[in-house]
């Protein structure tokens, strides 16, 4: 497109171009769940497979006197950030925004109108529905390209995208139950039991569940040793009878 030649400048500086416009910072902000607003409030964005949920929060204690105004101000400030984030993250499908509850009908209308206004600047077709009794606003956004998260990230290999892993106490208790279950099957036969597991689980057992372990050893009439496996996933363990 030669006619746009005058719009293009060849960048030759030493400083990376991304740094000049703080692109890396903006990207990392757009991959975070929690985004702070200037007023001290914040929004939390959860991008699920079929739904994007955005929660607006005041973040700090506000006096009762001007509470309603602070809430309105925070909601309005959040709207600009939400519209910006929807564009930069390239969110698509159904979007639900949970605004901070507003008492006044006029405030609710103002927020809804501001949201409609803000998304009208969006190049992707975005529709804002009405506000529900609980203060939720439903929107739809038509997206043509994959979202930023899809482009830059993949599901966490450690938790397989669940976003959670079991607590050490949960795994330790699973081990204890399995010890009781399995040891019973071998009757009186004397054996050595070795539990192979992640270092954190073994540490947890020795540091906080020593009594439980002792109780189980007594109950099954066998001693139990823990062997640390550096390559194991936190949730992974195996019980050997040797
Ligand atoms: Zn994970």
């Amino acid at each position: 497109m030669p006619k746009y030649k005058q719009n293009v400048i060849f960048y030759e500086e030493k400083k990376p171009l991304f740094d000049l416009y703080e692109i890396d910072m903006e990207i990392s902000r757009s991959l975070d769940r929690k985004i702070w607003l200037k007023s001290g409030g914040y929004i939390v964005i959860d991008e699920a497979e079929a739904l994007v949920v955005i929660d607006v929060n005041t973040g700090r204690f506000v006096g009762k006197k001007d509470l309603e105004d602070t809430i309105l101000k925070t909601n309005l400030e959040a709207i600009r950030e939400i519209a910006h984030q929807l564009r930069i993250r390239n969110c698509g499908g159904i979007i639900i925004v949970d605004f901070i509850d507003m008492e006044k009908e006029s405030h609710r209308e103002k927020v809804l109108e501001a949201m409609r206004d803000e998304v009208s600047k969006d190049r992707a077709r975005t529709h804002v529905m009405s506000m529900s009794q609980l203060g939720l606003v439903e929107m739809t956004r038509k997206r043509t390209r994959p979202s930023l998260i899809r482009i830059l990230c993949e599901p966490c290999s450690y938790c397989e995208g669940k976003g959670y892993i079991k607590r050490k106490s949960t795994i330790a208790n699973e081990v204890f139950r399995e010890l009781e279950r399995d040891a019973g099957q071998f009757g009186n036969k004397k054996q050595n039991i070795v539990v192979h597991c992640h270092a954190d689980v073994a540490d947890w057992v020795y540091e906080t569940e020593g009594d439980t372990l002792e109780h189980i050893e007594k109950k099954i009439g066998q001693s139990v040793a823990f062997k640390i496996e550096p390559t194991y996933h936190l949730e992974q363990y195996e019980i050997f009878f040797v």
Side-chain angles (χ1 to χ4, degrees):
M1 292 183 280
K3 69 172 176 171
Y4 291 118
K5 210 172 85 182
Q6 75 280 3
N7 294 344
V8 181
I9 304 161
F10 185 55
Y11 184 76
E12 285 183 291
E13 305 305 315
K14 270 216 178 99
K15 194 179 182 180
L17 193 53
F18 267 42
D19 288 5
L20 188 68
Y21 293 101
E22 296 180 322
I23 303 284
D24 279 320
M25 200 199 74
E26 191 67 29
I27 289 174
S28 96
R29 210 167 160 261
S30 297
L31 295 174
D32 277 348
R33 275 186 76 222
K34 193 170 178 178
I35 297 172
W36 289 97
L37 305 170
K38 281 202 183 79
S39 66
Y42 62 92
I43 58 174
V44 176
I45 304 183
D46 280 309
E47 295 179 54
E49 207 119 343
L51 193 72
V52 178
V53 180
I54 304 173
D55 192 25
V56 183
N57 300 278
T58 44
R60 67 193 153 97
F61 179 77
V62 279
K64 208 168 183 180
K65 193 169 146 257
D66 44 20
L67 183 64
E68 277 299 299
D69 288 334
T70 309
I71 287 172
L72 177 65
K73 233 184 84 197
T74 309
N75 279 338
L76 290 174
E77 192 189 2
I79 284 170
R80 285 188 294 274
E81 188 62 42
I82 289 166
H84 175 64
Q85 289 299 326
L86 290 180
R87 285 196 301 269
I88 205 161
R89 289 173 192 236
N90 204 12
C91 297
I94 299 166
I95 296 147
I96 292 180
V97 185
D98 187 4
F99 285 105
I100 310 161
D101 286 345
M102 292 165 285
E103 299 272 318
K104 292 181 187 156
E105 184 58 35
S106 64
H107 284 188
R108 293 156 68 97
E109 276 165 18
K110 213 170 205 168
V111 163
L112 199 58
E113 198 183 311
M115 191 77 246
R116 286 203 172 106
D117 211 44
E118 203 60 46
V119 300
S120 67
K121 303 167 193 164
D122 199 330
R123 266 167 50 201
R125 198 146 42 95
T126 309
H127 286 298
V128 179
M129 313 300 167
S130 60
M131 190 178 285
S132 77
Q133 288 288 303
L134 296 172
L136 301 177
V137 172
E138 285 181 12
M139 300 196 278
T140 57
R141 186 173 187 274
K142 204 165 168 66
R143 177 185 61 200
T144 44
R145 290 173 296 126
S147 71
L148 188 69
I149 280 188
R150 273 288 170 83
I151 294 169
L152 299 180
C153 305
E154 56 185 16
C156 170
S157 59
Y158 205 78
C159 69
E160 285 160 342
K162 283 193 302 240
Y164 299 97
I165 53 169
K166 286 176 187 166
R167 285 181 201 277
K168 282 168 276 185
S169 57
T170 306
I171 305 159
N173 283 316
E174 278 178 20
V175 171
F176 291 153
R177 283 194 297 274
E178 195 163 327
L179 281 171
E180 289 185 283
R181 200 180 301 130
D182 290 358
Q185 295 176 359
F186 294 90
N188 298 324
K189 217 169 118 200
K190 261 273 179 250
Q191 282 160 320
N192 291 312
I193 300 175
V194 185
V195 179
H196 293 232
C197 65
H198 190 281
D200 289 357
V201 175
D203 285 349
W204 173 267
V205 169
Y206 284 121
E207 278 164 23
T208 66
E209 298 281 2
D211 291 349
T212 315
L213 183 61
E214 212 173 293
H215 174 80
I216 285 173
E217 285 178 317
K218 221 174 261 171
K219 194 173 163 190
I220 62 178
Q222 283 154 324
S223 65
V224 180
F226 281 76
K227 189 179 179 295
I228 290 164
E229 291 286 352
T231 59
Y232 272 23
H233 185 280
L234 186 75
E235 293 178 352
Q236 191 183 359
Y237 63 87
E238 227 172 320
I239 299 172
F240 292 94
F241 296 84
V242 289

